[in-house]
Amino acid sequence: MGTRSDFVYFLRGLFNEPETGPIIQRLTGEYCLSCTDTGAVIYWQIDGQKRVRTGKVMWYNSQTGKRLKNGCNAVDWMHARLKREGVLPDEWELSQCLFGEHLLKRRPEDTVCLVESEKSAVVSSGVMPGYIWLATGGKQNLKAEKCECLKGRNVILFPDLGAFDAWKEKGEAISRRVGFTLSVSDTLERISTPEDRRDGLDIADYMIKTIKTKN
């Protein structure tokens, strides 16, 4: 497995860098991005003890960065592959963590930005590296047990369009239970158009638009 996924090719075009460029090297290294032989990116879930929980396998258009959702190729999981290959027993149960959780110990004082998708975390880290960008991996995956690692941190929540109210309510409840300082960004709510809301854009979509406009 390497790092030459279609998603990394998209990042190279977005940040106008070769594979050896500083932004690409940092993103692929920090988030441990790798790929399958079909060009799908593997987003490894690595916890605070550097244990690999699983890897989320996703396909992207190398030019647009949009996900390819062609049937069974929408999403796959490394633990599911290992079960299919007989490496893991069928009764093995997955316990997920936040994508990027392993970065927290390296930067104990830095503010954490929490988004929904792994792609958003990676792209946003490329644009705003002063923050630690983590992802829940899904709208329904904002859960207290996954956020225990955020105890004592300063956290900014960036809900996708259409999820602001639900994430704000859930995020505030989780922050009180776990014990971290939370602010919820309403930037997307303020700048979005009806078309943006229809498409459910996230912060990375806006960052990508801004970068491409400048280019």
Side-chain angles (χ1 to χ4, degrees):
M1 293 182 183
T3 59
R4 296 178 181 176
S5 65
D6 288 335
F7 178 60
V8 172
Y9 277 115
F10 165 72
L11 292 176
R12 288 173 54 186
L14 181 66
F15 293 109
N16 194 26
E17 281 194 355
E19 191 169 342
T20 55
I23 297 176
I24 303 304
Q25 286 286 290
R26 179 177 65 81
L27 294 178
T28 56
E30 287 186 352
Y31 288 102
C32 302
L33 301 181
S34 57
C35 72
T36 68
D37 55 5
T38 60
V41 67
I42 305 174
Y43 295 119
W44 296 104
Q45 285 187 15
I46 307 171
D47 65 22
Q49 285 71 50
K50 298 183 179 180
R51 297 173 300 190
V52 178
R53 301 289 188 90
T54 188
K56 192 175 184 180
V57 183
M58 303 178 76
W59 286 257
Y60 291 89
N61 181 297
S62 62
Q63 301 301 312
T64 65
K66 297 291 186 183
R67 275 182 58 192
L68 300 178
K69 303 178 182 180
N70 50 336
C72 63
N73 282 347
V75 177
D76 198 3
W77 295 88
M78 291 306 294
H79 70 277
R81 290 187 171 204
L82 293 175
K83 283 187 176 183
R84 293 196 296 268
E85 294 169 1
V87 178
L88 282 177
D90 289 339
E91 61 270 19
W92 185 89
E93 293 185 6
L94 170 65
S95 175
Q96 294 192 55
C97 65
L98 294 175
F99 172 70
E101 181 180 316
H102 63 288
L103 300 173
L104 292 172
K105 285 188 176 180
R106 302 182 192 177
R107 302 165 62 179
E109 304 300 324
D110 289 347
T111 296
V112 176
C113 294
L114 188 57
V115 296
E116 179 181 329
S117 78
E118 296 87 354
K119 170 188 167 183
S120 292
V122 175
V123 171
S124 298
S125 180
V127 176
M128 301 174 68
Y131 299 95
I132 304 173
W133 292 86
L134 308 183
T136 64
K139 188 177 295 184
Q140 307 303 320
N141 286 343
L142 180 60
K143 299 177 179 178
E145 56 268 26
K146 293 182 72 171
C147 293
E148 292 287 344
C149 59
L150 302 178
K151 184 175 181 178
R153 307 293 296 235
N154 293 317
V155 180
I156 305 174
L157 202 60
F158 286 90
D160 291 3
L161 287 175
F164 180 83
D165 291 338
W167 264 40
K168 184 175 187 296
E169 180 180 356
K170 186 178 288 188
E172 289 174 346
I174 292 173
S175 69
R176 290 191 296 268
R177 174 176 166 181
V178 173
F180 56 84
T181 302
L182 179 73
S183 57
V184 185
S185 174
D186 65 351
T187 301
L188 300 191
E189 300 296 318
R190 290 187 282 105
I191 67 175
S192 63
T193 65
E195 291 76 18
D196 294 340
R197 290 180 173 278
R198 179 198 64 205
D199 296 337
L201 299 190
D202 59 29
I203 185 171
D205 292 316
Y206 284 93
M207 290 185 178
I208 291 167
K209 278 185 179 181
T210 301
I211 294 170
K212 289 187 174 180
T213 300
K214 289 181 179 179
N215 291 345

